């Protein structure tokens, strides 16, 4: 027998106005309404990272691989992933990744990473190149500190400051040389590891001064933890119980986000057909290659809107989504372009970018019975939603709402 789910969303840690708006739209357009047509149901689109989840499953996957030295790449392949195709994003090997350090160019840091990774590749037993060091022993080596600090800087800056373009072998392609099944297994291990990790904190990495290098000492950081809030899992199920179709469109690798949203252990209850992510090329043996599948949209910004208009709307009589859920500039375009959406839910990350235009509109209409945009706050130190529009950012205790214009 299929599992029964409530048709009304419980309040839990939802901001009251957001909770009321969600239940109002669900009641007005779901199968409780006499005009509901099961042959033509409404649908909603969720982002995944920092929307359906707190934190980012792609980022935490990269971190899991770093902490467990779980790569299938040679030193030359790692170097190529870091340096190929820079011209596609307006960068060169001379582009600085740390503007306070004139030596911290892409070229220098990539060379330093290759040297450190080559040492680990030869000495860590897990790479099966004749090395004898255990993971714990390898991670105590100065070459690991060098590799960790510099690859993290690379990942943080490249993913934060540069635009992804189709065909460009991006940082996430450090998972290359696996089959889809192997990547799914790795994703399951990573998600499970971080969900039970329990600590949300920023960790600082510093490369060792005593090791000769081209870029010198580099300081970088990573954030730990991952949470799949019960409020979001319940919302997915309430929507489906009301006959509303649920899709996820994520900028994370498709295999990774499908594991998160479909695996029974994680509670969202979707199937693969309703989860769209970044697609990559594979070789004749089914091994993932470090480049995008040609012709596939980059699933953020205008690319996310294009997926909706080109793939989802034709399945739904050319209708736009009933609701949209997001947190970042990657979701801003669809919320602005798809004006037929009855409700947009912005998870408040207090980012000083285009999302603040949405946040200001949400704040301005906070008394409206039928708002188009609502805000949802979170506590990043605890990995949970807050019953407020205000957010508490990681490492702080202060509530924040919106950046002033």
């Amino acid at each position: 027998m299929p599992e029964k789910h409530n048709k009304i969303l419980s309040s839990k840690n939802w901001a009251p106005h957001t909770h009321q708006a969600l239940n109002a739209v669900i009641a007005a357009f779901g199968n409780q309404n006499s005009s509901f047509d099961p042959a033509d149901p409404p649908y909603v689109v969720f982002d995944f990272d920092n929307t359906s989840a707190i934190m980012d499953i792609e980022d935490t996957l990269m971190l899991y691989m770093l902490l467990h030295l779980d790569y299938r790449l040679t030193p030359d392949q790692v170097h190529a992933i870091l340096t190929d195709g820079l011209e596609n994003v307006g960068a060169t090997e001379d582009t600085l990744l740390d503007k306070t350090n004139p030596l911290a160019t892409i070229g220098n840091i990539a060379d330093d990473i290759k040297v450190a990774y080559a040492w680990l590749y030869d000495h860590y037993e897990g790479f099966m190149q004749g090395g004898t060091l255990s993971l714990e022993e390898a991670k105590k080596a100065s070459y690991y500190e060098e590799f960790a600090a510099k690859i993290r800087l690379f990942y943080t800056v490249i993913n934060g400051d540069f635009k992804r373009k189709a065909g460009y072998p991006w940082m996430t392609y450090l998972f290359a040389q696996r089959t889809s099944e192997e990547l799914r297994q790795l994703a399951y291990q990573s998600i499970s590891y971080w969900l039970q990790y329990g600590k949300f904190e920023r960790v600082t990495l510093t490369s060792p001064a005593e090791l000769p290098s081209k870029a010198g000492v580099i300081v970088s950081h990573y954030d730990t933890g991952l949470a799949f809030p019960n409020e979001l899992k319940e919302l997915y199920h309430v929507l489906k119980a009301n006959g509303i179709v649920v899709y996820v469109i994520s900028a994370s690798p498709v295999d990774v986000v499908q594991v998160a949203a479909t695996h029974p252990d994680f509670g969202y209850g979707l199937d693969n057909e309703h989860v769209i992510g970044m697609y990559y090329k594979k070789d004749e043996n089914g091994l993932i290659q470090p480049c995008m599948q040609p012709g596939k949209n980059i699933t953020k910004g205008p690319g996310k809107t294009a997926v909706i208009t080109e793939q989802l709307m034709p399945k739904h009589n050319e209708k736009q989504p009933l609701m949209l859920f997001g947190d970042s500039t990657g979701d801003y375009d669809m919320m602005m372009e798809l004006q037929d959406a009855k409700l947009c839910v912005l998870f408040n990350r207090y980012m000083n970018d285009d999302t603040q235009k949405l946040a200001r509109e949400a704040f301005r209409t906070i008394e409206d019975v039928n708002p188009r945009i609502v805000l949802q706050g979170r506590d990043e130190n605890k990995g949970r939603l807050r019953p407020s529009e205000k957010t508490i950012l990681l490492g702080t205790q202060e509530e924040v709402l919106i950046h002033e214009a």
Side-chain angles (χ1 to χ4, degrees):
M1 285 215 14
E3 199 179 343
K4 281 222 154 190
H5 287 282
N6 288 335
K7 293 205 166 188
I8 297 173
L9 185 66
S10 55
S11 55
K12 292 197 170 82
N13 281 326
W14 288 106
H17 187 241
T18 300
H19 175 252
Q20 175 269 322
L22 283 166
N23 270 330
V25 174
I26 291 168
F29 294 92
N31 57 17
Q32 301 171 64
N33 189 297
S34 58
S35 62
F36 179 85
D37 180 359
D40 184 21
Y43 68 102
V44 300
V45 173
F46 286 84
D47 173 47
F48 197 82
D49 296 311
N50 279 307
T51 296
S52 303
I54 292 180
M55 303 293 274
D56 183 309
I57 52 172
E58 178 189 285
D59 188 30
T60 49
L61 174 67
M62 293 296 106
L63 192 49
Y64 180 86
M65 291 166 68
L66 172 61
L67 296 176
H68 295 84
L69 280 178
D70 198 335
Y71 304 98
R72 300 279 177 89
L73 303 165
T74 66
D76 284 339
Q77 287 171 327
V78 168
H79 190 266
I81 284 169
L82 301 181
T83 56
D84 283 1
L86 293 173
E87 67 282 356
N88 290 339
V89 290
T92 70
E93 294 209 0
D94 295 326
T95 300
L96 287 177
L97 294 182
D98 177 352
K99 294 185 172 56
T100 67
N101 175 358
L103 299 176
T105 63
I106 286 178
N108 283 347
I109 292 178
D111 289 350
D112 290 348
I113 289 169
K114 181 182 176 181
V115 169
Y117 181 77
W119 188 92
L120 294 165
Y121 193 70
D122 289 340
H123 290 83
Y124 167 46
E125 62 184 7
F127 287 123
M128 306 210 211
Q129 303 297 313
T132 57
L133 296 183
S134 68
L135 180 61
E136 289 69 29
E137 290 167 334
K139 286 173 72 175
K140 286 177 182 155
S142 55
Y143 284 100
Y144 178 80
E145 293 176 16
E146 171 86 347
F147 175 70
K150 291 183 176 175
I151 200 107
R152 235 3 247 188
L153 180 79
F154 216 110
Y155 179 81
T156 305
V157 177
I158 292 279
N159 274 312
D161 295 355
F162 292 82
K163 296 272 188 283
R164 300 185 199 216
K165 295 206 177 167
Y168 181 53
W170 214 248
M171 276 294 293
T172 43
Y173 294 120
L174 291 168
F175 61 61
Q177 298 303 315
R178 289 176 158 87
T179 63
S180 275
E181 194 42 57
E182 288 168 337
L183 179 57
R184 284 171 178 268
Q185 200 172 349
L186 180 70
Y188 179 83
Q189 291 165 353
S190 171
I191 291 166
S192 302
Y193 174 86
W194 289 114
L195 285 177
Q196 61 79 41
Y197 188 79
K199 279 188 295 201
F200 292 81
E201 60 185 1
R202 178 154 290 187
V203 177
T204 299
L205 299 169
T206 306
S207 64
E210 70 273 9
L211 213 58
S213 69
K214 291 184 176 180
V217 174
I218 291 294
V219 178
S220 60
H221 67 267
Y222 62 81
D223 297 337
T224 68
L226 178 67
F228 289 175
N230 288 330
E231 290 84 357
L232 270 299
K233 291 186 277 190
E234 184 194 16
L235 175 57
Y236 276 46
H237 289 289
V238 167
L239 288 163
K240 291 199 293 180
N242 281 275
I244 298 167
V245 181
V246 178
Y247 293 97
V248 165
I249 305 177
S250 169
S252 283
V254 64
D255 286 317
V256 178
V257 73
Q258 284 183 347
V259 167
T262 70
H263 198 287
D265 287 0
F266 302 141
Y268 291 96
L270 294 192
D271 52 46
N272 284 337
E273 291 68 42
H274 289 157
V275 184
I276 298 163
M278 298 279 253
Y279 295 82
Y280 20 76
K281 267 167 87 167
K282 297 177 184 175
D283 69 8
E284 62 278 8
N285 299 314
L287 294 180
I288 294 165
Q289 299 303 292
C291 51
M292 292 283 297
Q293 194 174 313
K296 289 286 190 183
N297 286 301
I298 301 285
T299 40
K300 62 194 297 189
K304 195 171 269 198
T305 310
V307 169
I308 294 169
T309 56
E310 294 166 15
Q311 293 180 45
L312 301 188
M313 285 173 60
K315 291 181 187 173
H316 292 276
N317 283 333
E318 297 303 329
K319 288 194 301 198
Q320 293 183 12
L322 176 66
M323 293 189 274
L324 297 164
F325 300 81
D327 69 287
S328 70
T329 51
D331 307 305
Y332 175 76
D333 189 84
M334 68 176 180
M335 290 183 175
M336 293 302 292
E337 292 298 318
L338 302 172
Q339 285 290 321
D340 290 355
K342 300 298 181 205
L343 184 66
C344 296
V345 180
L346 180 70
F347 289 80
N348 188 1
R349 292 178 63 205
Y350 195 64
M351 297 170 87
N352 197 8
D353 55 26
D354 280 344
T355 58
Q356 292 306 296
K357 297 175 191 170
L358 301 171
R360 282 191 282 273
E361 183 179 338
F363 184 63
R364 188 173 53 75
T365 58
I366 202 156
E367 301 297 327
D368 287 13
V369 178
N370 295 306
R372 184 175 182 270
I373 300 175
V374 291
L375 270 178
Q376 176 58 50
R378 24 189 259 169
D379 186 337
E380 295 181 356
N381 302 291
K382 295 178 179 170
R384 64 177 69 148
L385 300 189
R386 303 182 70 237
S388 167
E389 283 77 15
K390 295 177 180 176
T391 278
I392 299 174
L393 297 171
L394 187 68
T396 71
Q397 298 306 317
E398 179 195 355
E399 292 184 321
V400 290
L401 184 61
I402 47 177
H403 285 274
E404 294 312 312

